[in-house]
Amino acid sequence: MNNIVVLISGGGSNMRALVQASTRENWAQRHRARISLVLSNRADAAGLTWAQQQGLDTAVVDHRSYAQHANPREAFEAEMRQHIDRHAPVLVLLAGFMRILTPGFVDHYAGRMLNIHPSLLPAFPGLHTHQRAIEAGCRFAGATVHEVTAELDHGPILAQAVVPVLPEDDAEALAARVLSQEHRIYPQAVADRLRRLSP
Ligand code: GRF
């Protein structure tokens, strides 16, 4: 059975969608993979509690504990790598993981790290995507699953979903509409990728 590691920072609704998809009947056999670790950079991430309640292996590597280190980011990532590499994962899935990763870390997982981003990339990389889409007068918004490369929110696009932007939308309303699509396309994109890894 191949291992998948999911990285979160907060609510973890995408992680929940991935876990729920992966525990459906036949999924593990069909894809020969299971989510073996949920790793968070915040001990108070709500998604972490949920993952623990499901009996999943979880770990916390708090980026703030490395603030005094000579190379805080490298030290933080080295600790994450130790946790992740223990599972020798075929995929590392960023699911609302809110830390920018160094090129060294990204390279280490080249071709096996995916991310979900709440915009129709290449439009609106970075933060506040929904507010920016509304302010730009977009009629459509959406979400993108992509391979992670050293450039933030770039990398080959694997899946996208489109939703309308309604005249009365605020960022919150649009985010909710986009998020429900994220929960659909991320598990699908992961299944597609696993099918390609072992057809
Ligand atoms: C999602 O919109 C994701 O695309 C973005 O942050 C949000 C995280 O939501 N990167 P959740 O933690 O998966 O609920």
Side-chain angles (χ1 to χ4, degrees):
M1 191 65 72
N2 291 310
N3 288 335
I4 298 173
V5 172
V6 183
L7 271 55
I8 65 167
S9 297
S13 69
N14 276 292
M15 177 272 296
R16 289 203 294 277
L18 290 162
V19 170
Q20 278 158 357
S22 74
T23 51
R24 274 191 206 117
E25 212 184 341
N26 289 334
W27 197 95
Q29 284 83 352
R30 196 175 326 134
H31 300 299
R32 292 182 214 119
R34 61 175 182 139
I35 292 171
S36 62
L37 173 68
V38 176
L39 174 60
S40 173
N41 66 308
R42 301 185 57 109
D44 61 354
L48 209 53
T49 312
W50 183 87
Q52 282 155 0
Q53 285 162 355
Q54 309 307 303
L56 289 169
D57 200 356
T58 61
V60 176
V61 181
D62 188 337
H63 60 282
R64 292 168 305 187
S65 351
Y66 301 89
Q68 305 308 322
H69 201 279
N71 294 304
R73 196 175 288 216
E74 279 75 8
F76 163 64
E77 290 183 350
E79 183 65 19
M80 285 213 298
R81 267 172 68 156
Q82 284 210 7
H83 282 278
I84 298 169
D85 290 351
R86 226 172 269 145
H87 292 252
V90 286
L91 288 178
V92 177
L93 305 176
L94 307 184
F97 183 70
M98 301 305 282
R99 304 302 301 167
I100 292 176
L101 299 165
T102 66
F105 186 87
V106 170
D107 277 356
H108 182 67
Y109 299 105
R112 52 188 175 128
M113 186 150 67
L114 311 185
N115 180 43
I116 182 127
H117 181 77
S119 79
L120 291 171
L121 290 173
F124 309 122
L127 296 174
H128 310 302
T129 54
H130 308 298
Q131 188 59 38
R132 286 156 68 203
I134 290 169
E135 281 168 12
C138 295
R139 298 296 196 266
F140 294 95
T144 303
V145 180
H146 65 98
E147 227 173 79
V148 176
T149 56
E151 197 179 349
L152 180 71
D153 297 331
H154 281 67
I157 290 172
L158 304 177
Q160 286 188 310
V162 179
V163 302
V165 180
L166 303 179
E168 65 274 21
D169 271 350
D170 57 12
E172 205 182 328
L174 180 56
R177 193 173 307 119
V178 170
L179 195 60
S180 68
Q181 293 304 308
E182 295 183 39
H183 299 161
R184 186 177 64 77
I185 62 170
Y186 208 3
Q188 271 177 10
V190 169
D192 287 348
R193 176 49 69 102
L194 291 169
R195 233 174 268 124
R196 285 200 1 231
L197 288 176
S198 48

